[in-house]
Amino acid sequence: MSFSDILKQVVNGTEGALGALVVGLDGISVEEFSVSSEIDLQSMTVEYSSLLIEIEKGSQTADMGSTKEVTVIADKAMIMLRRLNNEYFFVLVMKPEGNFGKGRFLLRMSVPKLLKEF
Amino acid sequence: MSFSDILKQVVNGTEGALGALVVGLDGISVEEFSVSSEIDLQSMTVEYSSLLIEIEKGSQTADMGSTKEVTVIADKAMIMLRRLNNEYFFVLVMKPEGNFGKGRFLLRMSVPKLLKEF
């Protein structure tokens, strides 16, 4: 299954999903699938990838081990970031009223599938 | 209901909870309740409060509005941060195998109670 197919599956399976991406820690996206032009996925991702690096530093400093998942709920969107490996992570963007639990479940289920493609 | 009683209620009601705090965006905690010495809540909070400020900047830049909630899942702990107002947020720290959904629910339910105390 290709990156693109996996992203489609997660987005189409999650009520209220706006898009999904596979992104490097440098903020450059490898693959992107979006069903909405409401949100600028690219610019959002650049912002959040640097945050993920900061959060990782924070987790290490606080002796909590490596960060696996980060969720941000803002007024206009929910973002889930799931680490794939040392260099890449998976991002799912949803509407605030989207199905959070379903998105989280599909995101987690797709990690092994995505890792096969690296 | 005092800060301390509300924190106790959330921590005791969440399976796997390690502690809860009310913290200023400057990282200084107002109230703290902990049932474990496994994790240094204070140092952890200082790390994450600066992250919350960064995340807020990211959300604003990405035009997503204000950040309401941030969750970080690391190897050794889960942390939920919920914004109370412009200056304070509520933090719940759990074991990785703790009841995430229950913690999130109790955290949200306690926000109006905490706000009454300001």
Side-chain angles (χ1 to χ4, degrees), chain A residues 10-27:
Chain A
V10 174
V11 172
N12 291 332
T14 308
E15 295 86 345
L18 297 168
L21 312 93
V22 174
V23 191
L25 276 177
D26 53 7

Side-chain angles (χ1 to χ4, degrees), chain A residues 103-115:
Chain A
R104 196 155 167 248
F105 175 75
L106 291 178
L107 192 71
R108 286 180 180 184
M109 288 300 110
S110 65
V111 169
K113 291 183 215 162
L114 285 165
L115 285 175

Side-chain angles (χ1 to χ4, degrees), chain A residues 5-112:
Chain A
D5 288 337
I6 300 166
L7 296 183
K8 265 183 210 168
Q9 208 176 52
V10 174
V11 172
N12 291 332
T14 308
E15 295 86 345
L18 297 168
L21 312 93
V22 174
V23 191
L25 276 177
D26 53 7
I28 296 167
S29 80
V30 178
E31 187 74 50
E32 199 176 318
F33 176 71
S34 163
V35 289
S36 162
S37 55
E38 275 177 53
I39 272 182
D40 181 354
L41 286 185
Q42 285 285 359
S43 74
M44 217 196 63
T45 306
V46 173
E47 288 300 325
Y48 282 99
S49 60
S50 59
L51 285 178
L52 206 74
I53 299 171
E54 287 302 313
I55 289 174
E56 180 63 31
K57 276 190 218 157
S59 298
Q60 297 288 354
T61 309
D63 194 26
M64 286 176 38
S66 190
T67 314
K68 288 191 283 192
E69 196 179 293
V70 176
T71 311
V72 177
I73 301 179
D75 286 337
K76 297 185 196 166
M78 297 196 284
I79 301 103
M80 282 183 208
L81 305 108
R82 179 93 194 170
R83 174 188 284 271
L84 292 170
N85 55 30
N86 283 336
E87 283 165 81
Y88 294 96
F89 59 102
F90 187 14
V91 186
L92 176 64
V93 186
M94 281 173 289
K95 291 181 190 172
E97 68 276 18
N99 190 335
F100 184 88
K102 184 75 173 295
R104 196 155 167 248
F105 175 75
L106 291 178
L107 192 71
R108 286 180 180 184
M109 288 300 110
S110 65
V111 169

